[in-house]
Amino acid sequence: MSAEVKPKPADRSPGQWFDVRGRRVGLWAYVVMRLSAAGLVLYLFLHLGILSQLAQGPAAWDGFVAIAKSPVILVLDVVLIVGMLAHGLNGLRLTLIGLGIGIPRHKTMLWVFLALTVLLSALSALAIFAETK
Amino acid sequence: MKLNLKIYRYKPGSEPHYDTFAVEVPEEANVLDAIERAWDDHDRTIMFRHACHHASCGSCGLRVNDVEKLPCVTPVSDYGDGATLKIDPMRNFPVITDLAVDATPIYQRMQLIGMPIIRQAETIRSDGQMILPDGIERFGRFENCLECGLCLSACPVMTTDPHFLGPMTLAAAERVLQEPRGADTERIYQLIDDEHGLWRCHSSFECTEACPYEVDPGAAIMRLKRKVFVHKVKKLFGMA
C-alpha cells in the first residue's frame, strides 16, 4: 500500500516581492519601481482631492495656497519628485534594455540613473524650499 | 572548519521549522559536503537532492543564507570558520520534504520549447584545437544550462505567476530562435508572446545573478523582447 505525499505549495504571496534577503541590486530596483508606482497613484488622488477645493470658487483660493505652502505638502512635493524621477528614469532604463540597447551595461545604467535621481531631487528640494523663504 | 547548519525541515503533515546541526568539515569542502556530514553524523532523515557533486547534474540547487546556490560547488570557506549557514529549499517550487522540491515545473517548461539543442561534434585539428563555428561566442553558451532551476527560484515574477514560463525557458526559446535547426519557430513565437510569457519579465536580472554557469538568461530575455517586437512589426506589414 502506498500513501500519496502532497508537497507543500510554494509561498506565492505578493509580500514575497519585497523580500530582499539574499537578493541583488536588480530586485531593489524592482521593489522601488513597485513602491514608487503605488506612491504616484496615491499622490494623484491626493492631488485631485486638494485641487477639488478650487471648485468651491475664488473664496477657496487662499485656503488652497495655504495648504500648498504648508511644510508637510512641500516635503510631499519633494517625495513626489523623488518618486517620479526614480520611476521614470528606471522605466527608461528598462525600455532601453528591453529594446536590446545597453544590455551588458544595465547595472551601470541603474547606478547612473540613481545618481541622477539623487542629484535632480536635491536640486529640486533646494529650489522648492528656497522659494518659500 | 566548524559550521552550524540551520536546515529547513518539513515533513508532510507537520509544521516547517529549522534544525541546527554542528558539523566539522575540511577547509576545501563544499556546502553539499557539510550537509552530507549533518546527514551522516546527526540525522539520517534529512532529505536533499544530489548526484554528481561537480555541477553537471543540476539536481542539488537550494538556498544558502537566502541566496540561490549549487551547494556542490559552493566552498564552505566562502563563509568562514564558525559561520552559521541557513539552508533552505529553492523558492517558487512545491516542497516535497526538507530541501527536496518538486522539480516537475523545470522539465515541463523545457519540454514546451523543444530543447535541448543537440550539438554536432566539432572538428578537432591535429594540434588539438577545436574548429568552432564563426561567431559562436555570440550565442552566450545556452548549452551550459544545467536545468537546475535556480533562475526560477530567484525570479520575483515566478512568485506571483506560477504559469510564467520563467528565465530558463525563455532563454532556451531565444537559443532555438537563433538557430532553429528545423524547429517550428512560429509555435515558439506564439508560446512566448503570451500573458505568461516574455512580457511578464520585469528585468530584475535576479536569474542572471543566480545562474551558476553564466548562461545569462536575463540578457537572453532582453534580446528576445527585441526579436519578438521586430517579428510582430514584420507580421503587421506582411513581411514575416
Side-chain angles (χ1 to χ4, degrees), chain B:
Chain B
M1 274 181 76
K2 288 182 177 170
L3 296 167
N4 292 309
L5 299 187
K6 188 179 170 188
I7 298 180
Y8 177 91
R9 305 303 302 274
Y10 167 74
K11 301 292 180 196
S14 68
E15 281 300 304
H17 63 280
Y18 288 91
D19 283 338
T20 303
F21 304 98
V23 295
E24 192 162 354
V25 288
E27 206 165 307
E28 62 275 17
N30 289 311
V31 173
L32 184 58
D33 301 317
I35 297 170
E36 285 181 317
R37 178 60 52 216
W39 177 85
D40 209 19
D41 290 352
H42 296 287
D43 186 347
R44 295 226 165 190
T45 69
I46 303 171
M47 300 294 283
F48 54 106
R49 286 181 197 280
H50 63 293
C52 74
H53 280 251
H54 58 253
S56 71
C57 72
S59 63
C60 65
L62 42 71
R63 286 183 291 153
V64 181
N65 293 346
D66 297 311
V67 180
E68 280 75 11
K69 295 281 182 190
L70 280 185
C72 63
V73 289
T74 303
V76 291
S77 55
D78 284 0
Y79 302 94
D81 193 26
T84 296
L85 273 56
K86 189 162 84 72
I87 313 287
D88 286 277
M90 289 195 288
R91 292 179 177 98
N92 303 326
F93 287 93
V95 178
I96 297 172
T97 176
D98 297 343
L99 305 173
V101 298
D102 178 1
T104 311
I106 299 175
Y107 310 116
Q108 281 175 334
R109 282 169 166 74
M110 291 306 267
Q111 232 171 4
L112 288 171
I113 299 299
M115 286 289 279
I117 297 269
I118 309 293
R119 288 180 64 181
Q120 294 163 347
E122 279 126 3
T123 313
I124 298 178
R125 294 193 310 230
S126 55
D127 61 1
Q129 293 292 307
M130 280 198 295
I131 301 169
L132 296 170
D134 283 343
I136 189 75
E137 65 281 358
R138 283 187 290 109
F139 287 126
R141 309 301 301 153
F142 181 80
E143 291 87 341
N144 283 346
C145 177
L146 292 177
E147 301 182 22
C148 61
L150 289 181
C151 58
L152 299 181
S153 172
C155 174
V157 178
M158 289 295 299
T159 300
T160 44
D161 182 3
H163 304 295
F164 177 48
L165 286 175
M168 179 182 69
T169 325
L170 291 167
E174 198 248 355
R175 182 68 182 89
V176 172
L177 291 175
Q178 272 181 340
E179 196 183 358
R181 300 192 190 193
D184 180 358
T185 54
E186 199 49 45
R187 186 188 67 81
I188 303 280
Y189 276 118
Q190 279 177 12
L191 181 70
I192 60 179
D193 185 14
D194 178 87
E195 63 178 305
H196 301 297
L198 185 64
W199 310 110
R200 268 288 163 136
C201 170
H202 289 282
S203 319
S204 78
F205 283 84
E206 285 290 320
C207 51
T208 292
E209 299 283 357
C211 181
Y213 260 137
E214 298 181 3
V215 169
D216 199 356
I221 296 171
M222 296 309 115
R223 292 192 297 270
L224 198 56
K225 282 183 175 178
R226 182 194 176 112
K227 195 184 279 275
V228 171
F229 175 72
V230 170
H231 182 72
K232 282 169 86 95
V233 170
K234 278 185 178 173
K235 269 185 88 170
L236 190 67
F237 293 100
M239 294 157 66

Side-chain angles (χ1 to χ4, degrees), chain A residues 29-127:
Chain A
Y30 177 87
V31 169
V32 167
M33 205 63 178
R34 262 128 207 89
L35 291 178
S36 57
L40 289 171
V41 171
L42 279 176
Y43 192 93
L44 177 66
F45 283 103
L46 184 67
H47 181 66
L48 290 174
I50 294 175
L51 270 187
S52 67
Q53 281 199 349
L54 295 179
Q56 294 165 14
W61 181 255
D62 286 347
F64 173 80
V65 171
I67 290 174
K69 286 194 163 183
S70 69
V72 174
I73 293 294
L74 292 178
V75 169
L76 278 178
D77 281 345
V78 175
V79 173
L80 171 70
I81 289 167
V82 173
M84 274 170 37
L85 286 168
H87 195 86
L89 290 173
N90 194 39
L92 179 63
R93 178 182 77 98
L94 297 179
T95 305
L96 288 173
I97 57 176
L99 288 170
I101 301 165
I103 297 169
R105 290 177 194 84
H106 70 94
K107 269 192 202 169
T108 310
M109 268 198 264
L110 177 62
W111 293 121
V112 169
F113 286 159
L114 183 65
L116 270 176
T117 300
V118 171
L119 180 70
L120 294 174
S121 300
L123 289 174
S124 305
L126 283 175

